[in-house]
Amino acid sequence: MTEATTGEALPAGDPPKEAVGPLVRGLAVIRRLSLAGGRRTVSDLTRDAGLARSTVDRVLGTLVRLGYVRPAGRDAVLALALMELGNAYLAASRLPGLLGPYADRLADELDESVSLAVPDADGVRFVHQAPRRRRMTAVFRVGDLLPAECAAPGALFAAGWSPADWERWRTRVASDPGYAGFPVLPSDHDGGLGADSFEDRVVRARQEGWSIDDQLIEPGLVAVAVPVCDATGRVLCAASVVSHTSRHDTASLRDAMLPRLRETAAAMEHALTTPPAPGPVGTARACVSDSGSEFVESLARGLAVLTGFTTAGMSLSALAEATGLPRATVRRALITLTHLGYVAAEGRVFRLTPRVLDLGYACLARLTLPQIAQPHLTWLAGEVRDSASMAILAGDDIRYVARVPTERIMSVDITVGTRFPAYATSMGRVLLAGLGEADRAAYLARADPRPLTRHTVTSPVPLAELLDQVRRDGYALVDQELEEGLRSIAVPVRDRAGEVVAAVNVSTHAHRQTAERTREAVLPPLREAAARIEHDLHIATRFARIPTA
Ligand code: PHB
């Protein structure tokens, strides 16, 4: 039996008497909201969680103050900042950071998806995905949980299970035959156990050191996995190559992929021997102190202990230092979190478990950039009382990917999907100004700007100068070049690497006020909205891939 597979102390029975009740209830609310896909009416949530309405209100009030939940009418919605909890686990585990680049290179080389997954009780939890966008290949997201018997890594992890682990697995199979606890499985999933029993496949995986998924999840999907171990031989995670039966049967998949997969796993094991850099001091949300009646301090402090983990194993004192909380507070939070399975204790050292990814991470990692932007665009449109939008570059056009229209009628009829030539729009100019030199020069050489109004700038030299200006200023204001009477102002949205990935704008009537007045009134809230979008995007993409459309 290896330590990694002994499971993460699932809540068995009542919490220990030192457990922090508000933390137990707060985590239950987050978990329920996650299971509901990230959004639920407060009354349904109250019923799901089996708590008093006043308790749920206090929990939600606290989570809203911490920025982890956003109210939306009668609904509570998980906010992107909650991904900080999963990020704390992913960063402290070092697995995606150290091993992800190897998985990415292997995916490029093999031209197939490669993933990394860790054992999570009797499940398989993805911690890194290097997807190849092909039709008919299911790609799970970072944070997704699959039953061990349904994915290639599962047999490798179960090779180290104790009798108690097997017992837990049998209990789950008997009590959840429809896989309700695994929301990412296709809803018509039949267990996909194939011809061989899971037990047989585990025996083979133990003997051979690799494991195959022959369409266990869905028809056509095949995968081969190998373990990645630490210096003591403990299985830390598994690396999988995922393909489709139109390209490989299981024998050809094994022959084609296994040698390179094994070499990569060996390189990953070597990478794991690099000593961890000293972790930064925690983000210390604990400093949030608030005596308002809707703020539950002990819940906020418990969550601060989760985000206070900066390295894999931390002592109570190190956590107290990282969070700035008293040792007694940290100790009780750790007792609570260990009881709930979010923290595992190994002697005097504590580590986060992959179960932390159940706290909103997996469902928030499914969002796209436009979905992340939407609440911020709604805020912006409310501030400026004009339409707010987001667009990306699509060839030489901009394409709208999110939009919050205002009541005020405009003759231009814009919806998500609308395209306009990039040269005549503020978002287009921001996106063009963000291109690298070569792409920008190529665009200017092939673009053939047409006068859409009498104001449209169509000559390449002035257009190039305008793009330089936009780059210097950090915004573009375009006055009636797309349509008479329409003025718009846009700023870029940058990814973690500083690349411009989208633009957001406000469009307004040109005759209502001067361009100078529009700039004064609109630019500050527009920049604020872009900053909020970037902040969320950077949290979301620390370990997960977020599509721009
Ligand atoms: C995946 O990464 O999507 C994956 C990995 C292993 C499987 C199936 C899917 O068995």
Side-chain angles (χ1 to χ4, degrees):
M1 181 173 75
T2 62
E3 269 181 284
T5 52
T6 51
E8 320 291 359
L10 287 174
D14 294 332
K17 68 175 189 318
E18 285 166 293
V20 183
L23 181 55
V24 174
R25 293 187 281 278
L27 291 167
V29 166
I30 295 175
R31 176 102 181 83
R32 286 284 159 189
L33 256 175
S34 309
L35 278 174
R39 187 181 192 116
R40 196 97 170 116
T41 66
V42 178
S43 32
D44 286 347
L45 191 58
T46 305
R47 188 156 19 83
D48 297 347
L51 295 171
R53 173 66 187 238
S54 56
T55 304
V56 172
D57 284 341
R58 269 198 309 278
V59 164
L60 289 175
T62 306
L63 295 174
V64 169
R65 294 276 187 91
L66 293 172
Y68 288 156
V69 165
R70 166 165 71 74
R74 294 159 52 204
D75 292 350
V77 185
L78 290 183
L80 209 112
L82 191 61
M83 287 179 90
E84 284 174 353
L85 270 50
N87 280 345
Y89 159 72
L90 291 164
S93 82
R94 302 203 302 155
L95 294 175
L98 280 180
L99 311 187
Y102 292 88
D104 296 348
R105 277 198 292 277
L106 186 62
D108 283 342
E109 186 190 317
L110 302 175
D111 198 23
E112 297 282 6
S113 297
V114 174
S115 63
L116 296 173
V118 295
D120 182 352
D122 61 351
V124 166
R125 178 87 68 176
F126 291 103
V127 295
H128 183 79
Q129 280 287 359
R132 284 290 153 280
R133 281 205 173 275
R134 280 214 179 91
R135 271 185 35 202
M136 298 190 298
T137 305
V139 176
F140 295 100
R141 301 286 173 88
V142 172
D144 284 346
L145 180 72
L146 293 176
E149 67 275 23
C150 294
L156 297 167
F157 299 155
W161 279 0
S162 67
D165 293 327
W166 278 104
E167 192 48 40
R168 174 178 54 194
W169 176 74
R170 280 191 203 93
T171 307
R172 190 262 292 158
V173 169
S175 66
D176 185 12
Y179 292 104
F182 300 91
V184 291
L185 274 184
S187 56
D188 56 351
H189 194 73
D190 61 1
L193 293 183
D196 302 339
S197 76
F198 183 45
E199 287 91 336
D200 290 344
R201 286 189 285 120
V202 173
V203 170
R204 269 211 309 284
R206 191 182 295 123
Q207 285 163 355
E208 293 168 340
W210 51 272
S211 153
I212 284 266
D213 162 3
D214 185 5
Q215 310 177 71
L216 296 169
I217 294 164
E218 63 177 34
L221 180 70
V222 286
V224 56
V226 299
V228 179
C229 300
D230 70 7
T232 69
R234 169 169 100 146
V235 178
L236 291 181
C237 66
S240 306
V241 179
V242 191
S243 187
H244 191 265
T245 47
S246 58
R247 298 191 292 282
H248 284 291
D249 63 17
T250 53
S252 78
L253 182 72
R254 183 198 57 209
D255 294 347
M257 309 298 169
L258 198 54
R260 283 298 292 126
L261 185 55
R262 283 190 146 148
E263 282 168 25
T264 303
M268 288 176 172
E269 289 176 349
H270 182 72
L272 286 167
T273 61
T274 48
V281 174
T283 45
R285 276 181 181 270
C287 299
V288 181
S289 177
D290 194 316
S291 53
S293 62
E294 289 301 308
F295 195 81
V296 186
E297 185 93 31
S298 53
L299 168 56
R301 291 177 160 203
L303 295 174
V305 171
L306 278 181
T307 53
F309 276 87
T310 47
T311 57
M314 283 177 79
S315 67
L316 201 160
S317 320
L319 278 162
E321 197 182 329
T323 56
L325 290 169
R327 281 174 61 96
T329 305
V330 175
R331 189 175 150 271
R332 287 191 61 200
L334 287 171
I335 290 171
T336 313
L337 294 168
T338 306
H339 167 73
L340 296 173
Y342 298 116
V343 164
E346 284 161 18
R348 301 168 63 126
V349 166
F350 299 88
R351 65 179 173 85
L352 294 179
T353 71
R355 184 130 309 188
V356 171
L357 295 168
D358 267 345
L359 299 172
Y361 191 96
C363 77
L364 291 164
R366 309 200 96 74
L367 295 179
T368 61
L369 175 58
Q371 290 169 323
I372 290 173
Q374 196 72 34
H376 304 301
L377 294 178
T378 302
W379 171 82
L380 175 60
E383 285 291 299
V384 298
R385 304 194 53 247
D386 264 315
S387 305
S389 308
M390 172 179 269
I392 57 171
L393 217 43
D396 290 349
D397 289 339
I398 61 160
R399 181 159 59 83
Y400 281 73
V401 292
R403 180 161 171 86
V404 178
T406 57
E407 309 299 309
R408 296 171 179 173
I409 307 299
M410 255 309 161
S411 68
V412 277
D413 187 14
I414 302 171
T415 56
V416 167
T418 297
R419 295 169 78 120
F420 289 125
Y423 60 83
T425 61
S426 62
M427 290 196 282
R429 293 218 179 129
V430 159
L431 292 163
L432 292 172
L435 290 177
E437 289 308 327
D439 288 340
R440 184 185 129 147
Y443 170 83
L444 287 170
R446 73 173 173 265
D448 183 18
R450 301 284 148 108
L452 304 173
T453 70
R454 63 205 157 90
H455 305 285
T456 316
V457 175
T458 53
S459 323
V461 172
L463 192 56
E465 284 168 5
L466 278 172
L467 295 184
D468 288 340
Q469 176 85 34
V470 169
R471 203 181 290 179
R472 279 195 302 274
D473 294 346
Y475 73 91
L477 190 148
V478 172
D479 214 358
Q480 311 187 67
E481 295 191 44
L482 180 70
E483 182 178 305
E484 295 285 349
L486 177 68
R487 176 182 298 147
S488 109
I489 179 163
V491 295
V493 173
R494 294 176 190 276
D495 65 12
R496 288 176 71 89
E499 300 290 329
V500 175
V501 289
V504 289
N505 88 335
V506 168
S507 51
T508 178
H509 282 291
H511 304 308
R512 222 186 290 142
Q513 58 190 8
T514 63
E516 187 46 39
R517 184 73 200 101
T518 301
R519 183 183 9 248
E520 279 169 20
V522 174
L523 196 52
L526 179 59
R527 285 192 156 138
E528 172 66 28
R532 293 182 189 190
I533 294 167
E534 284 180 348
H535 183 255
D536 279 359
L537 178 68
H538 298 176
I539 293 173
T541 52
R542 188 162 169 208
F543 296 107
R545 279 162 214 260
I546 299 293
T548 48

